[in-house]
Amino acid sequence: AVTRFLSEYVGNGVGSARRVYLLSLGICGAVSLAITATLSYAPVSSMIAGPLGTGTVFYAGLDALVYSFAQLGAYAMLGIGRATSAGKLIIISSTLRYLAAALFLVLGAGPSGVFIGFVFGDLFLAVLANTSAFRSVEHFHGSGANLRPVSKYMASVFFAAIMGLAVSQTDKLLAF
């Protein structure tokens, strides 16, 4: 939703661009935090982790949280017309992500180390992309357009996004 509506609202100079970004940021935070908290709950993480231990599940959940914010920032940059910058940040982030994961693995951190490495790379993207996106929309003030279409659109794709997140994170966990 952030890509679709930010591009429209920024292009039209509508004050809702800022509200769309902040709404997306709030929803992303709430859902991601709920997933991470659920995965951090000992009975749930023990059920998922098995012999890996609950630390790996915790770090996978933490990566899911950071990854969600990284994706929001990257898509927000696309929505505000900064695709080239977003692409560069994604390339650097992916490189950092896998180099850090490999380093932790070589240093003996095991599966948990891989997820810790992923957190580093995703955190890089999350911080820089969201900072850039916020700076681009922070000057938009006022009520602007109605956010009802945004909310309806978000609701229609919410479960698909949750399933995508689950698939993108679960395959990593099951690989170990």
Side-chain angles (χ1 to χ4, degrees):
V2 72
T3 305
R4 176 180 174 208
F5 288 97
L6 269 183
S7 62
E8 179 183 333
Y9 292 164
V10 167
N12 293 335
V14 177
S16 291
R18 183 173 186 236
R19 289 175 49 206
V20 166
Y21 176 72
L22 293 175
L23 175 66
S24 298
L25 197 61
I27 290 171
C28 179
V31 171
S32 298
L33 191 57
I35 291 169
T36 303
T38 301
L39 291 176
S40 297
Y41 184 58
V44 173
S45 61
S46 294
M47 180 180 68
I48 294 171
L52 288 177
T54 58
T56 303
V57 175
F58 170 76
Y59 290 119
L62 183 61
D63 181 51
L65 180 125
V66 176
Y67 180 80
S68 297
F69 282 103
Q71 294 301 299
L72 173 66
Y75 284 113
M77 288 182 73
L78 291 175
I80 58 176
R82 303 209 42 216
T84 303
S85 297
K88 289 175 183 176
L89 286 177
I90 290 169
I91 290 169
I92 294 168
S93 167
S94 294
T95 303
L96 285 173
R97 183 177 214 257
Y98 290 104
L99 283 176
L103 179 64
F104 281 113
L105 192 58
V106 168
L107 293 175
S112 293
V114 172
F115 288 109
I116 294 169
F118 288 171
V119 169
F120 280 114
D122 293 338
L123 188 60
F124 172 84
L125 179 59
V127 169
L128 292 181
N130 281 296
T131 300
S132 176
F134 183 74
R135 285 183 179 155
S136 296
V137 298
E138 71 180 326
H139 67 279
F140 288 97
H141 293 287
S143 60
N146 183 0
L147 287 184
R148 186 177 179 103
V150 177
S151 300
K152 288 175 76 173
Y153 183 78
M154 284 182 170
S156 71
V157 297
F158 177 74
F159 290 108
I162 291 295
M163 294 306 293
L165 177 66
V167 167
S168 71
Q169 299 304 307
T170 303
D171 65 337
K172 294 173 195 160
L173 185 60
L174 294 177
F176 296 106

